[in-house]
C-alpha cells in the first residue's frame, strides 16, 4: 500500500514537469482517480487546463483519449455507432473515444445537450447501450471535462443532472506572479507543451497502483462524528433562502468518498472533520443552484459554502 501511495504522490512531481503551480487541481484529479469519479475543470482560456490533463495522462500508464466538443459533435461520435461493412455484408459496432481509461472532454459546454447526455450513462453506469446492447467500459474510467466560465456565446450550460454526476468541480485561477515568471522561463529554455516526452514526463503509476490504492481507501475508518458532520453540512445548504436546490444525498456520498481518499493520501487510515472541510468546496460547489435574484446580489456557490462551513459546528 505504501508503494501505491508513493506512486500516486509521484504523479504531482511528474505533472509539475509540465505545469507550474495548480497543486490543488492536481491533487483533486488524483482524488478522482482514487474514487472512480469524474472531474469538471473550470478556468479562463490560457491557464493550462488541457495541458494539465494531458500531463496527467502522460504520467499514467493508462489508455487516454481526447475529444474536442463542438456544436456539430453527435452522440455517436463519442460513444460509437453501428456501421455497415461492405466487404462482409454485416453490421458491426465501432467503438467511440469513450472506450478508454481517461477521457478528456475538452470544452464540454460547447456541444448541445443531446451530445452532452450521451455521456450520462457512461459516467454513471460505466457502460454504453447502443442498439439494445450494453457494452462495458474499461476500468478505470474517468471523465475530465474542461469548460470556460466567462464565455457563454455559443455554449450550452450543463444541466443539473449532469453536473451532479461529477465528483469534483475544480477551478484553475490565473497563476501568481512567481508562477507566471516560472512558466515564461520554461518556454525560454525550450519547453514545448505539445511534446511532453521531451519535458521528461513519464508514466509513474498505472492500473495496478490505482487498484491497490482504492483497496486501501476502502479501509479508511470513518467515525460517526465525521458522517454526522458531512450530513449536517449538506442539509444546511438546503435550508438557505439564497439556494433553490441544495446538495443531494449523492453529493454527501461524494464528499465522504473524497474525504476518505484525502485521508489515505495524507498517510492516515482514518478521516477527520478537517478532511471534510478541506474537500467541501470542490465536492459541493457544482451541486448548488443559487437563486437568480441572489446571484444578482453577488451570491455565489462558494460564498454559500463559506457561510455553511462557518455556521455548522465542527465535531471535536
Amino acid at each position: 500500500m505504501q508503494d501505491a501511495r508513493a506512486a500516486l504522490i509521484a504523479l504531482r512531481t511528474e505533472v509539475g514537469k509540465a505545469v507550474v503551480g495548480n497543486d490543488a487541481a492536481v491533487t483533486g484529479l488524483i482524488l478522482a482517480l482514487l474514487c472512480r469519479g469524474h472531474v469538471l475543470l473550470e478556468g479562463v482560456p490560457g491557464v493550462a487546463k488541457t495541458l494539465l490533463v494531458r500531463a496527467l495522462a502522460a504520467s499514467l500508464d493508462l489508455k487516454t483519449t481526447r475529444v474536442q466538443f463542438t456544436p456539430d459533435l453527435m452522440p455517436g461520435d463519442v460513444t460509437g455507432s453501428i456501421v455497415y461493412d461492405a466487404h462482409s455484408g454485416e453490421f458491426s459496432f465501432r467503438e467511440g473515444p469513450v472506450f478508454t481509461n481517461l477521457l478528456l472532454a475538452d470544452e464540454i459546454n460547447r456541444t448541445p445537450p443531446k451530445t452532452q447526455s450521451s455521456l450520462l450513462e457512461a459516467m454513471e453506469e460505466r457502460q454504453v447501450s447502443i442498439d439494445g446492447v450494453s457494452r462495458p467500459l474499461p476500468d478505470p474510467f474517468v471523465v475530465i471535462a474542461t469548460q470556460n466560465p466567462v464565455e457563454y456565446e455559443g455554449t450550452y450550460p450543463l444541466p443539473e443532472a449532469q453536473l451532479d454526476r461529477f465528483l469534483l468541480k475544480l477551478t484553475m485561477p490565473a497563476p501568481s506572479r512567481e508562477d507566471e515568471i516560472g512558466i515564461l522561463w520554461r518556454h525560454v529554455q525550450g519547453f514545448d507543451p505539445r511534446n511532453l516526452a521531451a519535458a521528461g514526463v513519464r508514466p509513474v503509476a498505472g492500473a495496478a497502483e490505482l487498484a491497490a490504492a482504492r483497496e486501501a481507501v476502502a479501509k479508511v475508518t470513518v467515525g460517526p462524528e465525521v458522517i454526522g458532520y458531512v450530513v449536517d453540512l449538506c442539509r444546511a445548504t438546503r435550508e438557505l433562502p439564497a439556494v433553490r436546490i441544495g446538495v443531494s444525498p449523492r453529493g454527501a456520498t461524494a464528499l465522504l468518498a473524497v474525504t476518505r481518499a484525502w485521508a489515505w493520501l495524507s498517510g492516515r487510515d482514518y478521516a477527520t472533520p478537517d478532511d471534510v472541510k478541506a474537500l467541501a468546496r470542490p465536492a459541493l460547489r457544482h451541486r448548488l443552484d443559487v437563486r437568480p435574484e441572489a446571484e444578482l446580489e453577488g451570491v455565489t456557490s462558494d460564498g454559500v459554502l463559506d457561510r455553511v462551513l462557518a455556521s455548522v459546528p465542527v465535531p471535536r
Side-chain angles (χ1 to χ4, degrees):
M1 300 305 176
Q2 295 295 332
D3 292 342
R5 183 185 290 114
L8 291 175
I9 291 176
L11 281 176
R12 298 177 184 173
T13 303
E14 208 65 20
V15 172
K17 293 178 180 179
V19 181
V20 178
N22 288 307
D23 292 338
V26 176
T27 300
L29 294 176
I30 294 173
L31 293 177
L33 289 169
L34 289 173
C35 299
R36 292 186 174 90
H38 311 290
V39 175
L40 185 62
L41 198 57
E42 187 175 88
V44 299
V47 293
K49 298 187 299 296
T50 304
L51 178 61
L52 172 61
V53 181
R54 287 180 54 238
L56 178 68
S59 305
L60 291 167
D61 188 17
L62 297 173
K63 182 181 178 181
T64 62
T65 308
R66 176 179 181 270
V67 179
Q68 182 67 49
F69 279 70
T70 56
D72 59 348
L73 194 73
M74 299 299 292
D77 297 330
V78 178
T79 60
S81 57
I82 304 295
V83 297
Y84 178 72
D85 188 336
H87 295 289
S88 64
E90 297 179 349
F91 289 93
S92 61
F93 176 68
R94 179 177 295 170
E95 292 184 351
V98 75
F99 285 85
T100 188
N101 297 121
L102 185 64
L103 176 66
L104 169 55
D106 212 358
E107 296 188 295
I108 191 173
N109 58 332
R110 289 204 170 278
T111 200
K114 181 179 181 180
T115 305
Q116 290 178 7
S117 65
S118 67
L119 277 176
L120 289 177
E121 182 186 15
M123 293 171 67
E124 187 68 20
E125 306 294 337
R126 264 67 178 182
Q127 67 178 22
V128 169
S129 298
I130 295 179
D131 200 25
V133 179
S134 296
R135 297 173 171 84
L137 295 173
D139 183 36
F141 171 71
V142 174
V143 175
I144 303 178
T146 70
Q147 70 173 11
N148 178 356
V150 296
E151 186 180 355
Y152 294 108
E153 184 176 351
T155 62
Y156 305 85
L158 297 178
E160 284 78 7
Q162 186 160 359
L163 283 172
D164 205 35
R165 282 168 171 78
F166 284 98
L167 178 75
L168 300 172
K169 179 181 178 181
L170 306 176
T171 58
M172 290 186 63
S176 65
R177 183 177 185 275
E178 291 75 15
D179 285 342
E180 196 161 1
I181 289 174
I183 292 170
L184 297 188
W185 268 120
R186 289 192 178 192
H187 282 268
V188 168
Q189 294 164 0
F191 172 71
D192 183 358
R194 291 172 292 276
N195 188 357
L196 296 179
V201 181
R202 299 287 186 271
V204 294
E209 289 79 10
L210 279 177
R214 288 168 175 171
E215 184 180 338
V217 169
K219 297 177 182 177
V220 171
T221 302
V222 183
E225 71 283 353
V226 174
I227 293 178
Y229 185 49
V230 170
V231 170
D232 290 343
L233 286 176
C234 295
R235 291 181 65 86
T237 66
R238 306 169 199 161
E239 299 168 358
L240 295 175
V243 176
R244 189 173 69 89
I245 301 176
V247 177
S248 68
R250 179 188 288 161
T253 60
L255 177 55
L256 181 61
V258 294
T259 295
R260 298 176 79 186
W262 172 246
W264 177 82
L265 198 62
S266 301
R268 288 179 279 106
D269 61 356
Y270 60 92
T272 69
D274 287 337
D275 296 329
V276 177
K277 292 186 70 173
L279 276 304
R281 292 175 186 83
L284 304 180
R285 58 165 57 108
H286 55 297
R287 306 175 195 275
L288 295 174
D289 186 4
V290 178
R291 295 185 184 277
E293 57 270 25
E295 286 185 332
L296 291 174
E297 296 175 359
V299 177
T300 64
S301 57
D302 275 17
V304 169
L305 290 173
D306 288 343
R307 187 185 310 173
V308 167
L309 288 168
S311 62
V312 175
V314 181
R316 296 297 180 190

